[in-house]
Amino acid sequence: RGKRAFIAGIADDNGYGWAIAKALAAAGAEILVGTWVPALNIFETSLRRGKFDESRKLPNGSLMEITKVYPLDAVFDSPEDVPEDIKTNKRYAGSSNWTVKEVAELVKNDFGTIDILVHSLANGPEVSKPLLETSRKGYLAAISASSYSFVSLLQHFLPIMNPGGATLSLTYIASERTIPGYGGGMSSAKAALESDTRVLAFEAGRKGNIRVNTISAGPLGSRAAKAIGFIEKMIDYSYANAPIKKELSADEVGNAAAFLVSPLASAVTGSVVYVDNGLHTMGLAI
Ligand code: NAI
């Protein structure tokens, strides 16, 4: 039987999540998606109206099928955590059962088990502020949406993951080197995500024979990255300075992801894998 993957963090066809879904679909996996609740409507409408058909094309000419899209807000673990203003917000009121625990339950009821869990989401409301000017609230929100969201997803999905399965998240080098402009505690959130990758690799490895890795990706002009504001500069910088002189495509991250969650990588866990044209190796920009 083919593998079944749940990919959290797809709301259009531009980001890393979409490219990972395509690479996994091309390798024969069944694709389930978790989409941020406020973005659900437009994503589903666009899918239905064929807006993504061109980018759904797989190497063999067929179109990627998404078996099911689940509304998800990964900053809430269970219904008790949802504050009144969110509950009654009209972008949320039309959907239900979108906390992490409930989505895991729905996937269990619909499909029983999964083999692959991908976390391709991040949010930092104060990302454009330097860390020195970041509020406690903004910092904790960045950690909640970008780091704890992975802990929570793994916590709730591990019981329905088949042994031998694998999980993956996306990180950024701002965790270990200073990238001015990547603020709001987002650098801290990525550092936490990478540290958690090691600890969770041990815990999930021993508990369920599940692997945990993270890809440190180079810059991509996704929706989230454009919101930060300096992505074009980062893409130019990478082009000018990385060992491999080309623009990074989302598909290259998708392909590395497909390797990491496949049996080809059965001994790789707890790793930060760089998919960035080698930019991380450079100590001097020339
Ligand atoms: P994207 O915009 O395609 O993906 C981010 C997704 O997170 C969006 O679909 C958004 O709706 C979703 N999201 C935000 N808050 C959420 C929540 N509370 N619950 C559920 N979903 C939520 O952008 P991108 O850039 O592809 O991001 C994917 C991952 O790649 C992120 O972890 C990002 O930090 C990472 N990354 C991106 C780089 C870039 O240059 N674009 C570089 C290195 C890492």
Side-chain angles (χ1 to χ4, degrees), residues 8-18 34-39 71-76 92 98 119-124 144-146 149 169-173 182 186 190 193 215-226 228 231 234-235 248 250 253:
I10 300 181
D12 60 39
D13 60 349
N14 293 317
Y16 284 133
W18 177 269
T35 299
W36 195 31
V37 187
L72 168 70
D73 194 322
V75 305
F76 301 112
Y92 282 80
W98 39 258
H119 173 282
S120 182
L121 64 98
N123 194 19
S144 174
S146 313
S149 55
S169 65
L170 275 300
T171 187
Y172 184 48
I173 193 158
Y182 198 75
M186 279 306 299
K190 292 306 193 188
L193 183 66
I215 288 180
S216 185
L220 173 78
S222 64
R223 188 187 170 98
K226 283 181 180 142
I228 302 173
I231 188 67
M234 297 309 288
I235 291 170
L248 181 70
V253 169

Side-chain angles (χ1 to χ4, degrees), residues 61-95:
S62 69
L63 296 190
M64 168 171 69
E65 288 298 336
I66 296 176
T67 305
K68 191 159 178 183
V69 178
Y70 294 86
L72 168 70
D73 194 322
V75 305
F76 301 112
D77 303 312
S78 62
E80 304 87 81
D81 300 331
V82 183
E84 208 50 43
D85 61 319
I86 298 274
K87 253 183 232 162
T88 54
N89 182 312
K90 80 172 197 299
R91 293 160 87 199
Y92 282 80
S95 302

Side-chain angles (χ1 to χ4, degrees), residues 158 199-212 269:
L158 190 60
V199 176
L200 294 171
F202 169 70
E203 294 182 2
R206 293 296 174 88
K207 193 166 182 182
N209 188 21
I210 298 297
R211 295 182 296 107
V212 182
T269 192

